[in-house]
Amino acid sequence: MKIHEYQAKELFRKYKVPTPEGGVSDSVAGIKDIAVGLGLPVAVKAQIHAGGRGKGGGVKLARTDDEVSAAADAILGMTLVTKQTGPEGRVVRKVLVEKGVGIQKELYLSIIPDRETACITIVASQDGGMDIEDVAAKSPERIIKVPVNPVTGIQGYHLRQVMFGIELEKPLMKEFSAVLKNLYNLFVDYDCSMVEINPLIVTDDNRVVALDAKMDIDSNALFRHPDVKEMHDPNEDDPTEMEAAKYGLNYINLDGNVGNMVNGAGLAMATMDIIKQAGAEPANFLDVGGGADAEMVENGFRLILSDSKVKGILINIFGGILRCDVLAQGVVQAAKKIGLSLPVVVRMEGTNVEEGRRILADSGLELINAIDLADAAKKVAGIVA
Ligand code: GDP
Ligand code: MN
């Protein structure tokens, strides 16, 4: 689960990672009040769960009262479109106002788990700021990665490797070390899947301060962090994913146009792989679960059909606990209720498969039968091509 910048900064402060002083508000009057309290200049920052706000007009520096008003009017309620929001953008409902700080240098610092090395990896660069993606593309050697074995935890040599790697000046090392160590502890304590500070700045008066903050917390660990659970902002949820959660379905919205419904997460992953291998792109991940019933299948179907990107559907079921005849009934029931408007390729195997095929064949629906998974992927890729 992602949280907002202002919420991440609350946790930063708890862990002694320095941030600018500030306050959050959802009204123009509130924003002005905070600015008065802080003193000018201030930074006015849109709070949405996506980066690239600066370039999208969601971060403004205000030096006068008029500029505060103008920034508040412009940002609050705007639909902010950034590289990370997609073309539909996000409505800004909350604004963070922070005391403006003089920037000497912008650094980049993040911590992520790396599956390949099974380590917690520190990523850092001396070229932080709004163009970090360009740095990654054009001069990747300016971004360093230091793996930390989670068993031993962060050690002095990790800190030095990072600091020498980004050519940090000696007088800043003590402070930077503390920031990195504290951030690492925050990352571990809160079961994070990502913590990012971009930019981590060196101020005019040589302090190290987190000007931005991004945190993603493993949703499976939220029961251990009631304080973070409370930070959940339903406005930032994907509406289709929320609908899926209501039905108890495991659904993730993706960019492609092949809708797919699968029983079992592993089989769903394999199905997405094979769709890609056939030259198409999955529109979603949908695991209806090993013990799904006809109603769940129907709900899954409804979800997929509500996604306007979808041009063709692949149903891939290995009937174990979910028997093929039950699935077939669900498919027929849903298709008839909703009015099936898209081609559906079905690959079915397992318990009661003969009965399942008979139900589909007798349904009068136009379903495309596949002999195996490769055949199914090829057929659905052909349809959406
Ligand atoms: P992002 O674009 O969503 O990553 O938002 P950031 O919080 O990183 O802000 C974008 C940029 O605004 C930063 O890279 C800074 O250059 C600038 N910025 C933000 N706050 C301040 C501030 O208090 N003072 C100054 N001078 N610049 C700021
Ligand atoms: Mn940033």
Side-chain angles (χ1 to χ4, degrees):
M1 185 185 91
K2 285 184 184 147
I3 57 176
H4 286 297
E5 174 191 7
Y6 77 93
Q7 296 165 325
K9 281 177 171 169
E10 279 170 29
L11 297 175
F12 280 17
R13 283 191 276 274
K14 195 169 146 191
Y15 276 74
K16 299 197 164 53
V17 173
T19 63
E21 221 184 308
V24 73
S25 176
D26 57 5
S27 73
V28 173
I31 292 170
K32 287 182 187 166
D33 279 349
I34 298 168
V36 170
L38 293 170
L40 298 169
V42 293
V44 182
K45 311 183 73 178
Q47 298 297 289
I48 57 166
H49 286 186
R53 294 164 303 167
K55 286 189 174 168
V59 177
K60 287 193 158 65
L61 206 63
R63 290 171 200 82
T64 64
D65 290 338
D66 287 344
E67 283 181 10
V68 173
S69 300
D73 282 335
I75 293 175
L76 198 63
M78 82 184 289
T79 300
L80 181 51
V81 179
T82 80
K83 261 191 186 167
Q84 292 180 19
T85 59
E88 70 279 7
R90 296 272 170 81
V91 177
V92 179
R93 293 181 167 85
K94 278 198 178 111
V95 170
L96 172 64
V97 186
E98 282 186 337
K99 202 167 173 61
V101 268
I103 301 174
Q104 192 189 129
K105 198 169 170 42
E106 296 193 324
L107 310 170
Y108 175 93
L109 181 64
S110 69
I111 305 179
I112 46 163
D114 178 38
R115 284 154 209 269
E116 225 150 277
T117 55
C119 282
I120 295 171
T121 302
I122 300 164
V123 183
S125 175
Q126 53 187 310
D127 301 328
M130 293 196 281
D131 295 317
I132 192 70
E133 283 88 359
D134 287 346
V135 179
K138 289 180 196 138
S139 42
E141 73 284 354
R142 304 273 289 181
I143 296 176
I144 61 147
K145 292 183 184 149
V146 175
V148 178
N149 185 322
V151 178
T152 56
I154 194 160
Q155 305 288 329
Y157 68 90
H158 294 123
L159 303 173
R160 289 189 288 278
Q161 240 176 301
V162 172
M163 293 188 293
F164 289 128
I166 62 169
E167 296 174 18
L168 194 76
E169 286 165 44
K170 257 220 173 94
L172 294 168
M173 286 190 171
K174 201 172 156 197
E175 218 178 309
F176 184 95
S177 292
V179 167
L180 180 48
K181 231 160 87 188
N182 294 341
L183 197 69
Y184 180 90
N185 290 334
L186 171 66
F187 178 93
V188 173
D189 291 352
Y190 273 89
D191 297 300
C192 294
S193 45
M194 193 261 301
V195 174
E196 184 187 69
I197 307 177
N198 185 35
L200 174 69
I201 60 159
V202 180
T203 63
D204 285 345
D205 50 351
N206 281 313
R207 289 174 302 125
V208 179
V209 176
L211 210 58
D212 194 4
K214 264 207 195 72
M215 269 178 82
D216 203 341
I217 297 102
D218 185 343
S219 302
N220 292 315
L222 279 178
F223 71 97
R224 305 209 287 194
H225 311 292
D227 53 338
V228 174
K229 214 170 167 179
E230 249 171 51
M231 294 177 177
H232 175 237
D233 180 353
N235 291 316
E236 294 284 339
D237 289 342
D238 180 293
T240 327
E241 287 177 16
M242 272 195 336
E243 182 90 2
K246 259 198 335 221
Y247 300 139
L249 294 168
N250 211 338
Y251 173 95
I252 294 164
N253 198 355
L254 302 170
D255 295 330
N257 58 8
V258 177
N260 61 94
M261 174 155 48
V262 189
N263 66 325
L267 191 59
M269 297 297 281
T271 304
M272 295 194 301
D273 280 347
I274 208 156
I275 288 170
K276 278 182 97 87
Q277 208 171 51
E281 292 287 333
N284 66 276
F285 167 95
L286 173 55
D287 166 22
V288 291
D293 53 17
E295 197 189 331
M296 258 168 118
V297 171
E298 188 186 322
N299 288 333
F301 228 130
R302 195 172 280 126
L303 272 180
I304 294 176
L305 287 171
S306 73
D307 180 352
S308 60
K309 304 189 302 282
V310 175
K311 298 280 177 286
I313 299 173
L314 169 55
I315 298 182
N316 180 25
I317 301 288
F318 188 83
I321 303 169
L322 170 60
R323 304 189 323 255
C324 293
D325 54 322
V326 172
L327 166 85
Q329 270 161 11
V331 170
V332 171
Q333 193 179 311
K336 288 195 169 153
K337 248 194 206 168
I338 302 163
L340 189 59
S341 47
L342 291 170
V344 179
V345 177
V346 184
R347 180 265 177 173
M348 206 162 52
E349 215 46 82
T351 311
N352 290 4
V353 67
E354 295 308 327
E355 177 66 5
R357 291 205 176 118
R358 195 188 55 73
I359 292 169
L360 292 181
D362 293 351
S363 68
L365 295 166
E366 261 182 70
L367 302 167
I368 301 150
N369 241 310
I371 48 167
D372 58 24
L373 189 43
D375 182 47
K378 211 171 78 192
K379 280 181 172 151
V380 80
I383 288 164
V384 300

